[in-house]
Amino acid sequence: MYDIPVTLTSAPKPKPQDESKLGFGQIFTDHMFIMDYALGRGWFDARVVPYGPFTMDPACTVLHYAQEIFEGMKCYRRKDGGLQLFRPRDNFARMNRSAVRMGMPEIDIEEAMAGLTALLRADADWVPSAPGTSLYIRPTMIATDVMLGVHASHTYRFYIICSPSGAYYAKGLAPVGIYVEPELVRAVRGGVGFTKTGGNYAASILAGAIAEEKGYEQVLWLDGKENRYIEEVGSMNMFFKFKDALITPPLLGSILGGITRDSIIKLARSMGVNVEERRLTVQDVFDASESGDLEEAFGSGTAAVVSPVGRLCWKDREIEISGGKIGALTQKLYDTLTGIQYGEREDPFGWVVRLD
Ligand SMILES: *Cc1c(COP(=O)(O)O)cnc(C)c1O
């Protein structure tokens, strides 16, 4: 239905030989998918072309007013060599929600799927196969009008680039230390917290540097109004396992609705876990730690799947969670979800899209 012309590169790059050294987001494949948009015309010229730089006018809207959105997902190689995606249409649907809020045009999800599929066919050999590795996929949309006036651009570019990425956990699930940011906030209700837009990340960089300086790997954001309620961490949603419930903050507009978050909620419920989406203050968490009610805490996101929290610092106090180790439920959710993503476990939810 969608005919995507493919121009293959005449100069393929050497592929990384040692998959244990892939890291994240530094190596890019041979091709990219592009389509362009003009007001009144819609999306046009969907194509797969050799990977390479864009030429941009210095006055381009995206460079000044950050009219930009992106997505993040992965392509997994199964043991039988085949490739598969995890809930990719949910990523494109979320991109459309981001687009609406940022005054940008929506994409046709099936056209984006056709473009992604054509790209992955061209770059199939770039999907690594060592355990825990994957091909990270970055769909992006930028405003390309050349003008300094502040209004919605009339032209846009949507593109997808891919980067082979290493195993997030080289030596098994490793708990992280997290710093609760007491002052700076990431997003407010009515703002753009629920969108995947670059500006949200730009605004988080200072807090990240402060946390790192204090010896913590990630920042936990509190709500922008009262500075009490737990929102999310860096690029992950948060879960707290209390004795009687697995609790995660509700999607009220200021946090990003993670696809991993949604998958964890559904998976945990299918395991008989009582999952509650409700607001939780950082004081609640510290109290529960003291009373022994807090058993586990972890972040969820595409990159790490789940990331156990071993230490949590708030103002001048630090608590240790699960004895600084990985909790049983955290491990079980990680094993089950990655098992589905790599095609080693059954997929009762219909989340996987096989490419062959
Ligand atoms: C991408 C992202 C997440 C996680 O979303 P997934 O779909 O699970 O990868 C969480 N928070 C923020 C701010 C994000 O940008």
Side-chain angles (χ1 to χ4, degrees), residues 13-340:
K13 293 176 270 200
K15 294 186 185 64
Q17 291 304 307
D18 186 350
E19 293 188 353
S20 70
K21 296 208 174 73
L22 286 174
F24 177 77
Q26 294 167 59
I27 304 162
F28 297 94
T29 62
D30 279 327
H31 301 90
M32 59 186 173
F33 172 74
I34 302 180
M35 59 182 177
D36 292 301
Y37 177 93
L39 194 67
R41 185 172 174 196
W43 290 103
F44 60 93
D45 275 359
R47 60 213 187 263
V48 170
V49 293
Y51 184 96
F54 299 144
T55 302
M56 293 179 92
D57 192 287
C60 234
T61 306
V62 63
L63 300 177
H64 298 268
Y65 307 126
Q67 216 189 352
E68 185 265 2
I69 55 176
F70 67 95
E71 270 302 325
M73 58 175 137
K74 286 175 170 178
C75 178
Y76 306 89
R77 191 178 290 285
R78 293 190 305 271
K79 279 217 175 81
D80 67 8
L83 302 179
Q84 57 187 38
L85 300 164
F86 183 73
R87 308 184 66 177
R89 288 180 174 82
D90 293 283
N91 285 93
F92 290 129
R94 180 169 70 192
M95 190 163 203
N96 278 342
R97 293 195 294 278
S98 296
V100 170
R101 177 64 181 84
M102 299 301 287
M104 302 171 85
E106 293 177 74
I107 50 169
D108 175 337
I109 291 175
E110 292 313 315
E111 185 170 24
M113 282 298 296
L116 175 58
T117 306
L119 173 60
L120 292 173
R121 292 233 155 85
D123 281 339
D125 290 349
W126 283 89
V127 184
S129 57
T133 63
S134 58
L135 186 74
Y136 184 78
I137 300 166
R138 171 54 62 88
T140 310
M141 193 193 298
I142 53 172
T144 52
D145 271 9
V146 176
M147 59 139 194
L148 293 181
V150 183
H151 27 102
S153 179
H154 294 157
T155 59
Y156 296 87
R157 173 162 286 186
F158 171 86
Y159 61 94
I160 306 176
I161 54 174
C162 300
S163 172
S165 81
Y168 196 88
Y169 297 110
K171 305 185 206 92
L173 279 183
V176 294
I178 288 195
Y179 178 70
V180 180
E181 170 53 51
E183 198 119 342
L184 306 172
V185 299
R186 173 184 173 275
V188 291
R189 268 205 243 182
V192 297
F194 69 93
T195 70
K196 247 178 152 58
T197 189
N200 284 336
Y201 280 79
S204 76
I205 284 170
L206 174 61
I210 294 170
E212 203 168 300
E213 209 180 272
K214 291 180 188 287
Y216 297 90
E217 278 111 317
Q218 299 260 2
V219 175
L220 190 151
W221 298 103
L222 299 179
D223 74 280
K225 194 171 166 202
E226 295 178 57
N227 246 278
R228 286 177 351 118
Y229 294 99
I230 287 174
E231 298 250 301
E232 61 180 320
V233 164
S235 56
M236 290 192 286
N237 295 112
M238 277 305 300
F239 285 86
F240 295 89
K241 169 70 174 68
F242 285 51
K243 280 215 165 70
D244 62 350
L246 180 64
I247 302 171
T248 191
L251 303 178
L252 299 174
S254 54
I255 69 174
L256 201 287
I259 289 158
T260 319
R261 173 188 180 277
D262 184 72
S263 305
I264 297 264
I265 290 173
K266 293 189 166 111
L267 210 51
R269 284 191 174 138
S270 79
M271 292 169 175
V273 176
N274 172 35
V275 183
E276 294 176 7
E277 290 179 71
R278 66 170 169 87
R279 297 188 93 188
L280 192 66
T281 65
V282 63
Q283 186 68 55
D284 292 337
V285 170
F286 273 66
D287 288 349
S289 167
E290 195 144 300
S291 72
D293 197 19
L294 177 67
E295 296 177 337
E296 306 176 28
F298 61 87
S300 76
T302 295
V305 186
V306 301
S307 181
V309 178
R311 295 180 303 138
L312 192 62
C313 170
W314 180 39
K315 296 181 181 161
D316 52 0
R317 295 173 60 194
E318 184 186 280
I319 52 171
E320 191 183 66
I321 303 173
S322 303
K325 301 200 178 66
I326 298 114
L329 179 63
T330 308
Q331 183 75 52
K332 187 175 172 190
L333 288 165
Y334 176 81
D335 292 343
T336 310
L337 199 48
T338 53
I340 294 171

